[in-house]
Amino acid sequence: MVKTKGIKNINFKLIDNKQKWCWINDDDVDDNMLTRLFRALYSATTYNAQEELLSKVTINEGRNSSAICTLQFNCNDRNVMVQECKYVKNENKYKRGKNIGVIKI
C-alpha cells in the first residue's frame, strides 16, 4: 500500500453509478482500516450494503482543501488510484493531480 499520512480526499464510485466524495484524517482511519474498507466495498453486491459499510467508518462529507492526496475508488476495480490533491485556492476548484501510486485491494 502507498503510505500516506494526513488528510485524504476519497472519491467513491459505487454501484449503480453513484458517486460520493469524502475526506478522512489518519487520526480517525488508518491505512489498514482503509484497505479493509475498500475490500469490503469491492465485495458488496448492492449500493445499500456499500452505504452501510461507509456508515461504520468515521468519514467527513465533501472534500478538504488541506488533503495531501486523493484516492479514487471504483467498485469494479481491485486497484485504488492515489493522486496528488490539487486545490487551486484562488479559483476555489480541485483539479486532477498526477498519479503517485496504487493501492491493491
Side-chain angles (χ1 to χ4, degrees):
M1 173 169 194
V2 176
K3 296 293 182 193
T4 55
K5 291 290 178 196
I7 296 171
K8 302 172 191 78
N9 289 330
I10 306 174
N11 181 11
F12 291 103
K13 293 176 184 166
L14 304 172
I15 294 174
D16 297 334
N17 294 321
K18 308 261 182 175
Q19 183 171 324
K20 185 174 199 155
W21 279 98
C22 302
W23 64 273
I24 60 167
N25 190 327
D26 282 344
D27 295 337
D28 300 322
V29 181
D30 66 11
D31 286 345
N32 291 330
M33 186 183 297
L34 192 56
T35 301
R36 289 195 312 263
L37 173 63
F38 289 143
R39 285 183 187 139
L41 289 171
Y42 179 79
S43 299
T45 57
T46 65
Y47 174 73
N48 289 338
Q50 289 179 324
E51 278 292 318
E52 178 69 24
L53 289 166
L54 289 173
S55 72
K56 296 179 187 288
V57 179
T58 304
I59 56 177
N60 304 284
E61 296 294 320
R63 294 187 247 187
N64 188 319
S65 61
S66 300
I68 58 168
C69 64
T70 300
L71 307 177
Q72 300 284 345
F73 170 82
N74 186 327
C75 67
N76 298 318
D77 194 351
R78 292 198 63 90
N79 296 317
V80 177
M81 298 304 299
V82 182
Q83 299 173 330
E84 286 182 331
C85 182
K86 253 191 154 158
Y87 176 69
V88 182
K89 189 174 182 175
N90 59 350
E91 295 178 19
N92 194 28
K93 289 186 180 181
Y94 293 88
K95 296 190 177 185
R96 185 180 302 270
K98 73 175 185 174
N99 290 339
I100 57 175
V102 174
I103 299 170
K104 304 229 182 249
I105 55 174

